[in-house]
Amino acid sequence: MKFGRIEDWCRQAVSQIKYPPDRQMVHQELKAHMEDRYEAYLERGFSEKEAEAKALEAMGSAQEIAPQLAAIHRPFWGYLLSISRYVLIVMACILIVPVFQYVRNMGIRGKDYLYDPARQRDPYIQEEWNGGHRILYLEPGVEARSDGYIFRITKAAIWEWDESEGHMFHFQMDVIDNRSWVEDADIGRWFWAEDDRGNYYASFYESIPGSRYVSGNSYRTGFFTRTYEMWLSGYEGEDLQWVDLHYDRSGRDITLRIDLTGGEANE
Amino acid sequence: MKIEKSLLSGSTPMLVLALLKDGDKYGYEMIEELDRRSDHTFELKEGTLYPLLHALEKERFVTSYAKQTAGGRERKYYSLTSKGLEQLAYKEKEWRHFTTAVDAVLGFAVAEGNMSLAPAPATI
């Protein structure tokens, strides 16, 4: 084989370089040099065998330069780059499964409303619920922004129970937060309300027993959406024109008005 | 006259930078040029040139690029950077200082242009 010993010499010289691209590059450079030298000796009239021996002699000891080359070729960023590709692939594989499942279950914006995942039904679109009947239903669609959230009242309803003469003021609010990984799942607890008759409904945090207050539960219903099912505790069936919901957590008061005059009456 | 190895070892980086001052070269070419300019005085093992070149490249005194030759062989050319040029100027100054001092100790008259070994490289 032509250049057999030269090839061996080069291989030995680069054997201690651990980073493969560098190893290959240095190998190629050394080999090109020795081939030039070899051809120069051939031109001077030496035999192939002599030319090879003289080229090797001129290069010196491969063992001697191997550790020197290895000490120089330690590219930290090169290592990091070559590893990072595999790390990224593995991470993508791990991430894709839950993301896929989440999107399949929820969609990107979330299902319209998941009232109760266990029962899979929505009380707002039924006229009868737990023995009570709905006397008012409307879709206010009012929206406001604060603290990076978008609040949207999507539905509101009033139920009445004939036997107990009890009432319930229900509404549904979507909270959209583009930074859902840092979301505050209790954002609904900051809301307080007032109605046109001067009743005050305290927020969950400031409520005292026996008073009127805003209360509710929430469910994550999409990547960027959490849906709150809320009610005004202490509501006694007054005939109301409007209810104002307030959010003033960071000092700026925003108001969402549920206008009850335009609703679809069931009675 | 051959020169003792240890006399040469410290100044080889300077010689390599000087060789690149008048144009980009690949390793073999540099050895040939060194041989020619020094009139075969330096018996440098050719393999040792490469750790030296790669170290200079790591320090950004030289850069390299690959170029295909007419014969189809790929060669790695080295080129002096501005940082390398500065380093060379510094090393030359250091060398002059050193040789002047050695000459003075040995009792030689210091004359301008008595560098018998290597002619001063052409300036760009």
Side-chain angles (χ1 to χ4, degrees), chain A:
Chain A
M1 183 185 149
K2 202 186 171 192
F3 302 138
R5 286 175 67 204
I6 287 177
E7 177 68 35
D8 285 347
W9 190 97
C10 295
R11 208 169 283 166
Q12 199 181 358
V14 301
S15 62
Q16 292 181 35
I17 301 175
K18 291 201 182 70
Y19 186 59
D22 276 13
R23 189 165 59 221
Q24 203 189 340
M25 190 187 71
V26 178
H27 182 278
Q28 201 180 3
E29 189 180 21
L30 290 172
K31 200 174 170 195
H33 180 112
M34 290 176 87
E35 284 170 5
D36 281 343
R37 174 62 73 221
Y38 171 82
E39 277 160 21
Y41 281 123
L42 282 186
E43 273 171 35
R44 281 201 239 163
F46 290 99
S47 74
E48 286 187 7
K49 206 167 178 183
E50 283 169 328
E52 190 180 57
K54 285 184 95 62
L56 285 165
E57 164 66 24
M59 286 304 271
S61 160
Q63 275 132 320
E64 199 181 307
I65 73 161
Q68 293 172 18
L69 286 171
I72 297 161
H73 292 276
R74 266 184 278 170
F76 174 73
W77 292 108
Y79 279 123
L80 211 64
L81 203 71
S82 57
I83 293 169
S84 68
R85 192 188 316 161
Y86 299 105
V87 172
L88 272 176
I89 291 169
V90 170
M91 272 169 61
C93 289
I94 294 169
L95 270 174
I96 199 84
V97 175
V99 167
F100 176 75
Q101 284 180 340
Y102 199 95
V103 170
R104 198 182 56 178
N105 288 342
M106 296 297 192
I108 295 293
R109 270 293 327 279
K111 288 197 172 139
D112 183 33
Y113 182 52
L114 262 166
Y115 168 68
D116 182 338
R119 283 183 295 165
Q120 293 286 311
R121 66 191 182 89
D122 181 350
Y124 289 100
I125 52 175
Q126 294 169 66
E127 293 184 6
E128 297 292 322
W129 180 47
N130 278 0
H133 65 273
R134 195 172 69 184
I135 58 171
L136 186 76
Y137 173 73
L138 51 102
E139 295 177 356
V142 288
E143 196 176 292
R145 288 160 186 262
S146 189
D147 294 351
Y149 296 96
I150 301 172
F151 304 109
R152 185 184 296 142
I153 310 287
T154 52
K155 292 167 182 174
I158 297 173
W159 272 274
E160 193 175 59
W161 281 263
D162 292 333
E163 285 174 28
S164 58
E165 292 189 342
H167 288 84
M168 192 167 184
F169 188 100
H170 234 124
F171 62 96
Q172 177 190 319
M173 178 171 71
D174 280 350
V175 178
I176 298 154
D177 180 4
N178 294 335
R179 307 151 305 158
S180 52
W181 51 92
V182 294
E183 72 146 5
D184 177 0
D186 288 331
I187 198 84
R189 295 185 168 183
W190 292 91
F191 280 85
W192 56 275
E194 58 187 347
D195 63 30
D196 61 285
R197 301 225 170 176
N199 293 308
Y200 174 75
Y201 304 85
S203 75
F204 178 88
Y205 289 121
E206 51 177 356
S207 66
I208 50 167
S211 71
R212 296 182 179 223
Y213 62 96
V214 180
S215 170
N217 300 310
S218 73
Y219 311 97
R220 174 142 286 280
T221 48
F223 262 145
F224 306 116
T225 318
R226 178 169 280 273
T227 298
Y228 287 76
E229 178 228 337
M230 301 177 90
W231 56 91
L232 300 180
S233 289
Y235 169 70
E236 287 169 350
E238 296 94 338
D239 189 14
L240 300 176
Q241 300 289 307
W242 50 260
V243 172
D244 277 354
L245 273 164
H246 292 269
Y247 172 87
D248 56 5
R249 182 184 185 178
S250 54
R252 191 171 71 93
D253 185 15
I254 61 146
T255 308
L256 291 149
R257 172 160 293 195
I258 304 173
D259 186 352
L260 300 169
T261 53
E264 149 206 345
N266 288 118
E267 255 180 341

Side-chain angles (χ1 to χ4, degrees), chain A residues 9 25-26 28-30 32-33 35-37 39-40 57-60 64-65 68-69 71-74, chain B residues 5 26-28 31-32 44-55 57-58 73-76 78:
Chain A
W9 190 97
M25 190 187 71
V26 178
Q28 201 180 3
E29 189 180 21
L30 290 172
H33 180 112
E35 284 170 5
D36 281 343
R37 174 62 73 221
E39 277 160 21
E57 164 66 24
M59 286 304 271
E64 199 181 307
I65 73 161
Q68 293 172 18
L69 286 171
I72 297 161
H73 292 276
R74 266 184 278 170
Chain B
K5 218 177 168 185
Y26 55 94
Y28 181 77
I31 292 282
E32 294 280 273
L44 186 71
K45 284 294 177 195
E46 295 172 19
T48 58
L49 175 69
Y50 291 94
L52 187 67
L53 275 173
H54 296 175
E57 190 176 14
K58 204 172 185 181
R73 192 168 293 162
E74 193 176 275
R75 266 155 189 162
K76 199 172 160 196
Y78 290 88

